[in-house]
Amino acid sequence: MIHVYQEGKNPAAPTLVLLHGTGGNEHDLLGLGAMISPDSALLSVRGKVLENGMPRFFRRLAEGVFDEEDLVLRTGELHAFLDAAAAEYGLDRSNMVAVGYSNGANIAASLIFHEQESFRGAALHHPMVPRRGLQLPALGGMPVFIGAGANDRICPPHETEELTELLRGAGAEVEVHWENYGHQLTGTEARAAADWFKRTFGQAGQN
């Protein structure tokens, strides 16, 4: 997968896996990643699917309606890529934290739903429930930050609430940050994610 890798200053800090929104690319979230954890290595990935020329991580049938067969396929592809990237760059595969926005948050959530040891934690900005009717793996206290907009028409509040309930039901420790805005990723939401990361993982990336 097309990606950017930036080596971190502190090898103990979690590697941040950056996953952009629809129409974005592997450069979009580098600034957000540096804000959340300045010492972390950054692995920023470009989605392989094109929708009217706009990169995405999986196909959709309509706005808010996912192509579940393609979602499962792409989730497996991303999981395999992260395994390979960890080997290529000498990263600790068990010490990766996802940072995703919109479509990127959805593929990150799908990985969490399908793979027990997909990430050490995740900051999901404006995610939806990736799939329903699944038995989630035991998440064992996985820390998850969810950034949400009270006026988000693409990802309405009930999606955030349902995703939170599903993750908590599987054992994740979920913190939800609400903004009185729509689907945009605001500066205050980004700073809230950075505060969550520092409280959760500390300066050296250790609990």
Side-chain angles (χ1 to χ4, degrees):
M1 299 183 76
I2 296 171
H3 65 281
V4 168
Y5 173 69
Q6 293 184 356
E7 188 172 353
K9 300 174 185 175
N10 183 349
T15 298
L16 300 190
V17 178
L18 307 177
L19 303 163
H20 62 77
T22 299
N25 60 43
E26 66 276 18
H27 301 286
D28 280 15
L29 298 186
L30 292 174
L32 177 63
M35 175 189 290
I36 289 175
S37 182
D39 292 340
S40 285
L42 303 178
L43 179 62
S44 189
V45 188
R46 184 194 298 183
K48 293 177 67 175
V49 172
L50 290 178
E51 180 181 275
N52 299 320
M54 299 184 297
R56 283 177 53 86
F57 286 97
F58 58 90
R59 289 198 298 265
R60 59 183 171 182
L61 305 177
E63 188 172 287
V65 182
F66 301 160
D67 181 331
E68 290 201 15
E69 183 177 348
D70 191 61
L71 173 59
V72 172
L73 172 67
R74 303 301 176 181
T75 298
E77 283 184 346
L78 180 58
H79 189 263
F81 168 76
L82 294 177
D83 289 347
E88 179 180 354
Y89 296 115
L91 304 172
D92 181 352
R93 181 64 183 86
S94 67
N95 196 23
M96 289 184 172
V97 172
V99 178
Y101 167 62
S102 192
N103 181 243
N106 294 336
I107 193 77
S110 182
L111 258 174
I112 293 168
F113 272 41
H114 287 92
E115 301 287 346
Q116 185 167 21
E117 297 180 349
S118 53
F119 296 112
R120 185 178 170 193
L124 306 177
H125 297 276
H126 303 262
M128 297 176 68
V129 177
R131 295 188 72 200
R132 291 177 170 86
L134 286 184
Q135 177 66 45
L136 271 66
L139 297 179
M142 174 191 286
V144 177
F145 171 93
I146 296 179
N151 302 303
D152 191 337
R153 295 182 179 180
I154 295 175
C155 176
H158 69 81
E159 285 278 345
T160 301
E161 292 159 1
E162 184 181 350
L163 179 59
T164 300
E165 183 177 332
L166 289 169
L167 290 171
R168 285 177 176 162
E173 296 180 1
V174 184
E175 178 177 318
V176 183
H177 173 83
W178 290 96
E179 294 272 322
N180 290 318
Y181 293 101
H183 199 62
Q184 67 266 41
L185 174 51
T186 65
T188 52
E189 183 180 322
R191 287 190 291 274
D195 290 343
W196 164 83
F197 186 93
K198 187 174 181 180
R199 281 186 276 107
T200 304
F201 299 104
Q203 295 287 1
Q206 301 296 321
N207 278 333

